[in-house]
Amino acid sequence: MSKPLRLGIAGLGTVGAGVVQILRKQAALLETRTGRPLVITAVSARSKEKDRGVNLSSYAWENDPVALAKREDVDVFVELMGGEDGPAKDATDAALALGKDVITANKAMLAMHGQALAEAAEAKGSVIKYEAAVAGGIPVIKALGEGLAGNQITRVMGVMNGSCNYILTRMEDAGLPYADVFAEADGLGYLEADPQLDVGGIDAAHKLAILSSLAFGTQVNFAGIELEGIERVSIEDIRAAADMGYKIKLLGVAQVTGRGLEQRMQPCLVPDTSPLGQLSGGTNMIVLEGDAVGQIVLRGAGAGAGPTASAVLSDICDIARGYRGPTFGQPATTLTAAVPATSQRPAAYYLRMTLMDKPGALAKVASVLGDAAVSIDRMRQYGHVKDRAQVLIVTHKTTRADIDHALAAFGATSVVSGDPVALRIEEV
Amino acid sequence: MSKPLRLGIAGLGTVGAGVVQILRKQAALLETRTGRPLVITAVSARSKEKDRGVNLSSYAWENDPVALAKREDVDVFVELMGGEDGPAKDATDAALALGKDVITANKAMLAMHGQALAEAAEAKGSVIKYEAAVAGGIPVIKALGEGLAGNQITRVMGVMNGSCNYILTRMEDAGLPYADVFAEADGLGYLEADPQLDVGGIDAAHKLAILSSLAFGTQVNFAGIELEGIERVSIEDIRAAADMGYKIKLLGVAQVTGRGLEQRMQPCLVPDTSPLGQLSGGTNMIVLEGDAVGQIVLRGAGAGAGPTASAVLSDICDIARGYRGPTFGQPATTLTAAVPATSQRPAAYYLRMTLMDKPGALAKVASVLGDAAVSIDRMRQYGHVKDRAQVLIVTHKTTRADIDHALAAFGATSVVSGDPVALRIEEV
């Protein structure tokens, strides 16, 4: 019989408890699949007393995750605590310093310290696996880093935060404003303790930064992401977009152009008939595009104890089987520094603005757009309410710079009331 | 620098040429990703003279794939010829006998000889990789065997033959009968040289047999598949199904129940709003369900030079990186003999029949169904044409046995003209 793989698990929230449960319930199956017993030797969490619905009595207990990571009877340190710094980072550093392998679900830590961690791991010949850090149960890290390893990746795109997608879907279905649905989701426990991580797009951007590195061979660069959350998405825009055949999604997009690495996480419009447009509720979807494979779409639960534990188990099985690769698909020392580029690739844009009831108002708007070299594909004006009319415009492909010129010029027309809304329409 | 991985490629059709092309074009990238040079040392195909659009001059040429497989300068035999027996099988056997690794896109060979091949490989410590054999560029073998390795798989399902899906979609979009669209697809070169492999569901069933083994730890059992092609799907049924909110798909479904391993490849109805229902044209979609992960959906091109070559490259990179696992996810000697079971799990059924214009005709149909314990969920009768009326029925969940009882009894009613159509409605 092969040597057991000895796991130390730090963090026993729903995911950690889920991992323990699977390792206990499927012990025989996992041993058959990997060729060796997978055993938990020690665990660590904040409170030893809390009932987590799993029997922990046969595992050594450590109050300190750093002590857990350093234990001689731990081969693989499984970090399920979260937090970009603090105990999770300290314990991961300790494990790597001793040449141990690390499995983590911690997207924030990887997005902030991925390069240093990968270099530390590879210097010691150990591996960091993180399937659970992106899109929960969807095996996207494996698909991108291994399944599409023969491709030059051309674009990575997706809905990577289920809570945001739930909120946007619910706003549309129930016709409720953002604030109401936010409060509802928070009450149901759908949001992180700091909800800004979700609705500000930060959690999703952490994931995008990780995918970018793996896709394009660049060092993780969270700071280079153009980031905008969903807080300013209004029910009016959701309705107007629907009226024009689109859905609004918090969409992450990464691609390399001649100008550098473009990474965007922001509300975008996608056609309502596209797979991304049809994604409702808390589900995640990742779209991977490569020069050989074309487009691959992966869809599944992006969060939850079972799906996330499934991803952690995938990493455990990989290590047990001896599948040891560099963290970001190629040696960390070969990853290039990303040159962040704001997107100047042309795209169609959705514009919504409020026009005052003045003669020639629409002509002025059209002329501003024309002067900015923005041409109009479709336009709708809705009836006047209290001397104000809503105008929706879908432009032909244009650059963000030209749109910004037009937006700046609307102010001087004295016919546009308030700030127009401009959202990119992503080709999917 | 690490030792080069030396590849011998047998079969230089579009896929083989595509693999050569990627290995040449992405040589530097692939070496960075895998840590070693990937080099082609020899190739083999039927005709040395044919122009394949790739430069083969630096590779040794073998007319005989067996000789290629045996070459001392070949570490990995890449089999892209196809055919369940004959040269492909002979050369694969020869490679395995010498302890070489094998990469193959040959679903027929694996569906027929998978168990013996896996045992032969594992006895010598070599590996067989076959990402390209199922669903083209979709990395489903990796997702199922590695990404979901922590799961007890509960169901595998999907549209696995793009040509059939193209035909069914085209019939609906153009309102054309099967024979016309078949001729059109054949003329466009969309079908195998023996079109029965496609439209008879055989090619798709080969893929299902492979997925079943990987999912359930059973020996590949192609013979145990309930198999029905799309030749009898009529434009009337496609229209009627659409009318009731469904699409007809050639759907593969595998699951283990108390009775054994159910494997079906047959035309089924799926809700038109489901991901499977919305899949049009030649795209493939695989749905994987596991006890922890829930449902994962994978979508992409199921055929074509680029996507299939992408899958072959994934296997090449895996072997270069030293990712060596058993063929079907666990040692071949531990795979259990599948007990084939025809599905008796209850499902809703779609029935379409032609009623003669006789008093009480519909009552007789209803009474036959009632006697067979089949209850009706929805029913539609269309106006009489020449003393005949079409009746569509969607049943509540019932067993295939009960449906078969009802179908047998309709004949004795003297009000049903011809054979009624009965198609399973799959829950997706």
Side-chain angles (χ1 to χ4, degrees):
Chain A
M1 196 176 71
S2 292
K3 235 174 71 176
L5 184 73
R6 299 170 304 172
L7 309 165
I9 300 178
L12 294 169
T14 54
V15 175
V19 170
V20 173
Q21 219 155 32
I22 294 177
L23 284 165
R24 294 177 71 94
K25 185 176 145 202
Q26 307 288 14
L29 179 66
L30 293 168
E31 183 173 343
T32 305
R33 286 183 179 165
T34 64
R36 54 197 288 202
L38 309 179
V39 297
I40 301 170
T41 45
V43 296
S44 165
R46 279 198 204 124
S47 152
K48 191 172 177 182
E49 279 66 43
K50 190 173 165 188
D51 180 10
R52 297 173 171 91
V54 285
N55 184 350
L56 302 171
S57 60
S58 50
Y59 317 134
W61 180 273
E62 296 280 357
N63 286 313
D64 176 8
V66 174
L68 179 84
K70 289 181 171 173
R71 285 179 67 103
E72 280 199 5
D73 60 2
V74 166
D75 303 316
V76 181
F77 176 63
V78 183
E79 188 279 300
L80 303 172
M81 294 177 286
E84 68 183 73
D85 288 299
K89 176 70 163 47
D90 294 342
T92 299
D93 286 341
L96 294 177
L98 291 168
K100 293 173 194 282
D101 295 330
V102 170
I103 292 169
T104 179
N106 193 331
K107 57 218 78 160
M109 182 174 74
L110 290 169
M112 293 306 171
H113 309 293
Q115 181 65 22
L117 291 171
E119 288 180 16
E122 290 165 31
K124 293 273 191 179
S126 52
V127 297
I128 303 176
K129 297 256 178 190
Y130 52 91
E131 187 63 78
V134 181
I138 303 174
V140 62
I141 300 300
K142 190 169 272 293
L144 186 55
E146 303 172 17
L148 305 188
N151 288 260
Q152 187 107 44
I153 300 298
T154 49
R155 185 168 63 160
V156 172
M157 188 163 60
V159 168
M160 307 177 191
N161 182 286
S163 306
C164 287
N165 202 53
Y166 167 82
I167 289 175
L168 294 174
T169 309
R170 172 89 178 128
M171 283 171 72
E172 176 161 16
D173 292 349
L176 290 170
Y178 172 79
D180 291 13
V181 176
F182 173 87
E184 184 182 282
D186 204 22
L188 288 165
Y190 288 3
L191 300 176
E192 302 262 0
D194 173 4
Q196 191 57 25
L197 286 173
D198 284 318
V199 298
I202 299 166
D203 168 84
H206 286 151
K207 297 169 188 168
L208 183 67
I210 294 168
L211 292 180
S212 289
S213 176
L214 194 55
F216 305 114
T218 47
Q219 298 176 7
V220 177
N221 187 344
F222 174 77
I225 298 178
E226 283 185 73
L227 175 58
E228 189 188 332
I230 62 166
E231 305 100 318
R232 296 196 305 166
V233 175
S234 70
I235 179 69
E236 287 76 22
D237 285 314
I238 288 178
R239 282 185 185 136
D243 207 25
M244 307 290 264
Y246 298 100
K247 300 277 182 185
I248 299 181
K249 297 288 172 191
L250 178 64
L251 196 68
V253 183
Q255 63 197 128
V256 169
T257 68
R259 305 177 63 257
L261 172 64
E262 293 180 14
Q263 299 180 96
R264 290 179 283 115
M265 179 60 67
Q266 55 195 198
C268 288
L269 272 65
V270 295
D272 56 12
T273 54
S274 65
L276 281 165
Q278 289 167 345
L279 190 73
S280 63
T283 312
N284 278 200
M285 181 175 282
I286 311 283
V287 179
L288 305 174
E289 294 173 354
D291 60 350
V293 80
Q295 188 184 74
I296 297 284
V297 180
L298 312 171
R299 175 193 154 122
T308 311
S310 166
V312 173
L313 261 294
S314 165
D315 287 341
I316 293 173
C317 290
D318 269 8
I319 289 179
R321 285 166 165 169
Y323 295 5
R324 306 176 65 77
T327 311
F328 294 106
Q330 61 187 64
T333 50
T334 68
L335 297 165
T336 57
V339 180
T342 55
S343 175
Q344 291 300 339
R345 281 177 313 104
Y349 279 81
Y350 155 97
L351 303 175
R352 181 173 64 86
M353 64 193 80
T354 305
L355 281 198
M356 290 183 260
D357 188 13
K358 293 185 182 176
L362 202 56
K364 281 195 184 164
V365 166
S367 127
V368 163
L369 289 171
D371 291 347
V374 174
S375 77
I376 297 173
D377 178 26
R378 289 187 286 154
M379 202 203 61
R380 284 186 197 176
Q381 178 172 335
Y382 293 85
H384 287 75
V385 178
K386 292 186 195 162
D387 298 338
R388 297 283 186 278
Q390 290 289 311
V391 174
L392 307 184
I393 294 168
V394 171
T395 73
H396 283 294
K397 277 193 181 185
T398 183
T399 63
R400 179 74 215 189
D402 286 343
I403 287 288
D404 286 341
H405 288 146
L407 291 177
F410 284 136
T413 59
S414 76
V415 299
V416 176
S417 162
D419 288 332
V421 173
L423 296 171
R424 186 181 176 106
I425 301 176
E426 193 68 31
E427 279 187 69
V428 295
Chain B
M1 199 175 72
S2 291
K3 238 174 69 177
L5 185 73
R6 300 171 305 174
L7 308 165
I9 300 179
L12 294 168
T14 53
V15 175
V19 170
V20 173
Q21 221 156 30
I22 294 177
L23 284 165
R24 295 177 72 94
K25 184 176 144 203
Q26 307 288 15
L29 180 67
L30 293 168
E31 183 173 342
T32 305
R33 285 183 179 164
T34 64
R36 53 197 291 200
L38 309 180
V39 298
I40 302 171
T41 45
V43 296
S44 166
R46 280 200 203 123
S47 151
K48 191 174 175 180
E49 281 65 42
K50 188 172 165 189
D51 180 10
R52 298 174 169 91
V54 285
N55 184 350
L56 302 171
S57 60
S58 51
Y59 317 133
W61 180 274
E62 296 281 358
N63 287 313
D64 177 8
V66 174
L68 179 84
K70 288 180 171 175
R71 285 178 66 101
E72 280 199 5
D73 60 2
V74 166
D75 302 317
V76 181
F77 175 63
V78 183
E79 188 279 299
L80 303 173
M81 296 178 285
E84 67 182 73
D85 288 300
K89 175 72 162 50
D90 294 342
T92 299
D93 286 342
L96 294 177
L98 291 169
K100 292 174 196 281
D101 295 330
V102 170
I103 291 169
T104 179
N106 192 330
K107 57 220 78 165
M109 181 175 76
L110 289 170
M112 293 307 172
H113 309 293
Q115 181 64 23
L117 290 171
E119 287 179 14
E122 290 165 30
K124 293 272 190 180
S126 53
V127 297
I128 303 175
K129 296 256 178 189
Y130 51 91
E131 188 63 79
V134 180
I138 304 175
V140 60
I141 301 300
K142 192 168 270 294
L144 186 54
E146 303 172 17
L148 305 190
N151 287 261
Q152 186 107 44
I153 300 299
T154 49
R155 184 166 65 158
V156 172
M157 187 165 61
V159 169
M160 306 177 191
N161 182 286
S163 306
C164 287
N165 202 54
Y166 168 82
I167 290 174
L168 295 174
T169 308
R170 174 88 177 127
M171 284 170 71
E172 175 161 15
D173 292 348
L176 290 170
Y178 172 79
D180 292 12
V181 176
F182 174 87
E184 184 182 282
D186 205 21
L188 289 166
Y190 289 1
L191 300 176
E192 301 262 359
D194 173 5
Q196 191 57 26
L197 286 174
D198 284 319
V199 298
I202 298 166
D203 168 83
H206 286 151
K207 296 169 188 169
L208 183 67
I210 294 168
L211 291 181
S212 290
S213 176
L214 194 53
F216 304 115
T218 48
Q219 298 176 7
V220 177
N221 186 345
F222 174 76
I225 297 178
E226 283 184 73
L227 176 58
E228 190 188 332
I230 62 167
E231 305 100 319
R232 297 197 305 165
V233 175
S234 69
I235 179 69
E236 287 76 20
D237 284 314
I238 289 178
R239 283 186 185 136
D243 209 25
M244 307 289 264
Y246 298 100
K247 300 277 182 186
I248 299 181
K249 298 288 171 192
L250 178 64
L251 196 68
V253 183
Q255 62 197 126
V256 169
T257 67
R259 304 177 65 254
L261 173 64
E262 293 181 15
Q263 297 180 99
R264 291 179 282 115
M265 179 60 67
Q266 56 194 199
C268 288
L269 273 63
V270 294
D272 56 12
T273 54
S274 67
L276 282 164
Q278 289 168 347
L279 191 74
S280 62
T283 312
N284 279 200
M285 182 175 282
I286 310 283
V287 179
L288 306 173
E289 294 174 354
D291 60 350
V293 79
Q295 188 184 74
I296 297 285
V297 180
L298 311 172
R299 174 194 155 120
T308 312
S310 166
V312 173
L313 259 295
S314 165
D315 287 342
I316 293 173
C317 290
D318 269 7
I319 289 179
R321 285 167 165 168
Y323 295 4
R324 308 176 63 78
T327 311
F328 294 106
Q330 62 188 63
T333 50
T334 68
L335 296 165
T336 56
V339 179
T342 55
S343 175
Q344 290 301 337
R345 279 178 315 105
Y349 278 82
Y350 155 97
L351 303 174
R352 182 174 63 87
M353 64 192 80
T354 305
L355 280 199
M356 290 184 258
D357 188 11
K358 293 185 181 175
L362 201 56
K364 280 196 184 164
V365 167
S367 125
V368 162
L369 288 171
D371 290 348
V374 175
S375 78
I376 298 173
D377 177 24
R378 289 187 286 153
M379 203 201 62
R380 284 186 196 177
Q381 179 170 335
Y382 293 86
H384 286 76
V385 178
K386 293 186 194 160
D387 298 337
R388 296 284 186 277
Q390 291 288 311
V391 174
L392 307 184
I393 293 167
V394 171
T395 74
H396 281 293
K397 279 194 179 184
T398 181
T399 63
R400 179 75 214 188
D402 285 343
I403 288 287
D404 287 341
H405 287 147
L407 291 176
F410 283 136
T413 59
S414 77
V415 299
V416 176
S417 162
D419 287 332
V421 173
L423 295 172
R424 187 181 174 103
I425 301 175
E426 193 67 31
E427 279 187 69
V428 295

